[in-house]
Amino acid sequence: MIKIAVLVSGGGTNLQALIDAQKAGAFPNGKIVLVMASNPKAYALERAKNAGIESVVVSRKSFDDPADYDRAVVETLQSRGIDLVVLAGFLSILGKPVIDAYPERILNIHPSLIPSFCGAGFYGLRVHQAALDYGVKITGATVHLVNEIPDGGRILLQKAVEVLPGDTPELLQKRVMEQAEWKLLPQAVAMLCEQLEQEKGN
Ligand code: GRF
């Protein structure tokens, strides 16, 4: 069984999509066993509790030295035997020690078609504001592997979403979540669980 940790910072709608997909049998050889939040106020923690999933808060602000934060994250994940890490609306930067501990095993969902509107400073509504400011007619979401470059890892899945006249960042975010993020992330988790299960079998 592939043990999955989902890292969150906010409302947790992508976490909820994963919980619902797991219940629907979308990734039978994977199990979400931990939700790790970057702050204690994340509503995603409520979602984890309702789903009976262990949760823990590891806040970047509690550590003066980034190396201590990275060590705490790795220990939190390795103590639960985590195989696959999913960043779902996670806003803290993971340092090299975390990336090295989980090579090609950390997924992130970004609310644009990378390489557009991504990288440092592009998160949440800012991404959709930038898309509207530029006047693109098509945007979407991307699931990619995580490396040390923000939003820089290998792209796994993308899905396009139409920008409509009169869109606000909030309206566009909702459409991108509903039509792209909440579909792509479970799909990508299923792909990686399949791949990791096969690797374990070899
Ligand atoms: C959303 O903007 C999503 O696109 C991005 O993080 C934000 C919050 O997502 N990945 P969630 O509702 O906490 O999953």
Side-chain angles (χ1 to χ4, degrees):
M1 179 60 75
I2 301 301
K3 291 185 176 180
I4 303 165
V6 183
L7 277 50
V8 296
S9 295
T13 65
N14 279 288
L15 167 66
Q16 192 61 56
L18 289 171
I19 291 169
D20 297 346
Q22 177 175 291
K23 222 174 276 170
F27 38 93
N29 42 23
K31 187 171 176 8
I32 303 167
V33 299
L34 181 69
V35 169
M36 188 184 98
S38 59
N39 77 76
K41 296 195 190 69
Y43 185 70
L45 289 166
E46 199 60 31
R47 297 180 191 272
K49 188 162 143 252
N50 295 340
I53 299 169
E54 182 195 359
S55 63
V56 63
V57 177
V58 181
S59 164
R60 174 72 190 71
K61 289 201 281 286
S62 318
F63 301 87
D64 294 334
D65 181 344
D68 293 339
Y69 169 71
D70 287 332
R71 195 172 308 112
V73 170
V74 172
E75 279 163 12
T76 301
L77 297 172
Q78 290 183 335
S79 60
R80 276 93 173 169
I82 297 300
D83 301 299
L84 178 62
V85 180
V86 182
L87 310 187
F90 186 67
L91 297 177
S92 296
I93 300 294
L94 298 172
K96 193 170 181 322
V98 183
I99 312 284
D100 290 350
Y102 290 91
E104 310 269 305
R105 303 277 183 281
I106 307 177
L107 294 181
N108 183 48
I109 177 90
H110 181 76
S112 76
L113 295 176
I114 289 175
S116 300
F117 314 119
C118 67
F122 282 100
Y123 57 88
L125 284 173
R126 293 175 176 209
V127 175
H128 304 293
Q129 185 64 65
L132 292 171
D133 291 347
Y134 201 100
V136 295
K137 303 305 173 197
I138 296 287
T139 185
T142 302
V143 179
H144 62 94
L145 291 172
V146 172
N147 60 18
E148 288 105 74
I149 304 152
D151 301 326
R154 177 161 60 92
I155 289 174
L156 296 179
L157 296 172
Q158 293 191 303
K159 191 168 187 328
V161 174
E162 232 186 329
V163 180
L164 297 176
D167 261 345
T168 62
E170 291 76 10
L171 283 173
L172 186 52
Q173 178 179 55
K174 191 165 181 304
R175 190 176 315 116
V176 169
M177 283 175 153
E178 287 169 349
Q179 294 184 12
E181 295 181 45
W182 298 343
K183 295 184 186 322
L184 288 184
L185 200 50
Q187 231 180 299
V189 166
M191 274 166 54
L192 264 286
C193 285
E194 197 57 43
Q195 176 196 316
L196 294 178
E197 194 75 7
Q198 274 165 23
E199 283 172 16
K200 273 190 171 182
N202 296 345

